[in-house]
Amino acid sequence: MEDKPIDKQDILKELEELHSLDHDYADGRILGSMCTEAHPFAKEVYCKFLDTNLGDPGLFKGTKQIENEVVKSIGELLSLDNAYGNIVTGGTEANLMAIRAARNHARKYKGITDGEIIMPASAHFSFKKAADMLNLKIVEAELDNNYKIDVESVKNSITDKTVAIVAIAGTTELGLIDPIEEISKIALEHNIYFHVDAAFGGFSIPFLKEIGYDLPVFDFSLEGVCSITVDPHKMGLAPIPAGGIIFRREEYLEVMAVDSPYLTVKTQSTIVGTRLGASSAATYAIMKYFGKEGYSKLANDLMENTKFFAQSLKELGYELVCEPELNIVAFNHPNMQTNELAEKLEELGWEVSVAKCPIPSIRVVLMNHVKRNHLEELLNDLKDIF
Ligand SMILES: *Cc1c(COP(=O)(O)O)cnc(C)c1O
């Protein structure tokens, strides 16, 4: 740090130079990101709430009410009338809270001290962080032929140390939805906490169902589901950071509560202490502004692009890893290594993402910034490469 203050203009110039090294979503070249440019209205609202702190809700009663409203609305979207939970920084923190709730609940009510969590290989790496921090062992359930969690394998993995089962509604790599209904039954039968990670799918599956897409049930209408992660900063078009953790019952927050002596509330259940109200306010605003109609249209547009892209790839001779269920397409060249194809695309200016599970493949997430004209350009390049 310099001794003397520097002129604002000079600082801004330096920052802008660095910022110009960043990719811009608007170029349509970012193919593997699950985030996208936030809606301008959400950004405007976000800036108005920069100084609010939900870590001390007694001082920010209005903003706390906004967070409660957002949690309630997301809960209703997921078929839950009385939702508990928080708007946090993203899917990672939401998953961490869910697993912490499950662990603490099992410790308190079942006396489990060295717990295990069952999840598929397709689970997001945030669960590895959660397991590490919470001192839990991950037991990996197998995938079935469709790359979804294998129900029998889950059953067989249950022990008297199991504190949670995790399944995914919209996997990070392929966008697939696990058989949540069947897992829910198993979880109920064995009285085990069941968490659904819908970080990616949460802001599209409900809207796609609304307009007639035949997608499986994944939400709180299934009795065994205890918590769901949903990321407003993905298809919700809220600014980063915005994740949602929704719990069916208040007791899951209670088992995480620690005393918070100097604050306006007596206890705190979130992982983060001082935490921004801006995410809640921006998410509140964009959800009202879009309504179900707006999100259904967005989700449908993304699916139309997905279908177009998948079909065109097949016509060119590329091979899909699976038929897309949500707006992710993973593919390979029939006789070129994935990494070689990725390099060729990168040379042509595309920011590609390589998936690992279940096989290496090029993975394109059809987010809002990837428009039809970008896809046509990409397909032209893929045609040349072929
Ligand atoms: C994106 C994603 C996460 C992680 O969310 P962050 O917001 O990046 O922390 C977790 N799970 C799934 C299924 C995801 O798609």
Side-chain angles (χ1 to χ4, degrees), residues 34 90-93 95 124 126 168 170 172 197 199-200 231 233-234:
M34 303 186 112
T92 300
E93 192 186 342
N95 286 339
H124 186 265
S126 50
I168 302 136
T172 307
D197 183 1
F200 183 67
D231 266 2
H233 68 201
K234 290 178 179 167

Side-chain angles (χ1 to χ4, degrees), residues 135-351:
N135 207 14
L136 296 167
K137 184 179 153 208
I138 292 179
V139 178
E140 205 168 279
E142 281 162 32
L143 296 180
D144 65 17
N145 294 335
N146 300 315
Y147 310 131
K148 300 182 180 195
I149 192 169
D150 184 86
V151 178
E152 277 308 305
S153 170
V154 171
K155 250 189 222 171
N156 297 335
S157 304
I158 294 172
T159 70
D160 52 10
K161 291 180 178 173
T162 307
V163 300
I165 301 172
V166 174
I168 302 136
T171 56
T172 307
E173 301 206 293
L174 300 177
L176 296 177
I177 305 165
D178 282 330
I180 315 270
E181 187 165 6
E182 282 147 285
I183 306 287
S184 165
K185 281 189 198 136
I186 297 173
L188 266 188
E189 224 168 82
H190 292 82
N191 185 27
I192 294 171
Y193 189 101
F194 180 31
H195 174 62
V196 173
D197 183 1
F200 183 67
F203 260 89
S204 77
I205 302 168
F207 304 114
L208 289 173
K209 285 171 88 79
E210 193 112 338
I211 52 173
Y213 276 75
D214 182 22
L215 294 168
V217 189
F218 76 104
D219 66 12
F220 289 106
S221 58
L222 303 169
E223 232 183 299
V225 174
C226 301
S227 54
I228 302 182
T229 287
V230 175
D231 266 2
H233 68 201
K234 290 178 179 167
M235 268 87 82
L237 301 193
I240 297 169
I245 177 65
I246 311 295
F247 291 104
R248 183 188 288 278
R249 283 187 279 276
E250 196 171 16
E251 67 187 75
Y252 298 130
L253 283 170
E254 285 164 359
V255 293
M256 293 193 280
V258 298
D259 293 340
S260 48
Y262 65 93
L263 300 180
T264 50
V265 282
K266 289 198 174 62
T267 65
Q268 198 171 77
S269 298
T270 48
I271 292 158
V272 173
T274 299
R275 61 190 182 91
L276 67 187
S279 299
S280 285
T283 305
Y284 181 93
I286 195 66
M287 285 179 74
K288 294 251 175 198
Y289 186 69
F290 268 51
K292 283 187 185 164
E293 206 179 290
Y295 278 122
S296 296
K297 182 178 180 318
L298 174 67
N300 189 51
D301 287 350
L302 301 180
M303 286 311 294
E304 288 299 320
N305 278 345
T306 305
K307 287 182 222 163
F308 164 76
F309 186 55
Q311 183 56 32
S312 308
L313 280 172
K314 283 194 267 190
E315 282 163 17
L316 288 177
Y318 286 90
E319 291 168 352
L320 302 191
V321 176
C322 60
E323 282 301 318
E325 268 187 315
L326 296 177
N327 48 320
I328 299 182
V329 177
F331 66 98
N332 272 307
H333 189 285
N335 39 39
M336 191 187 291
Q337 292 288 313
T338 306
N339 280 339
E340 194 186 336
L341 180 55
E343 271 169 35
K344 285 186 197 280
L345 286 169
E346 269 159 21
E347 277 164 24
L348 293 166
W350 298 101
E351 281 302 311

Side-chain angles (χ1 to χ4, degrees), residues 23 80 116 279:
H23 275 285
L80 184 65
E116 299 172 350
S279 299

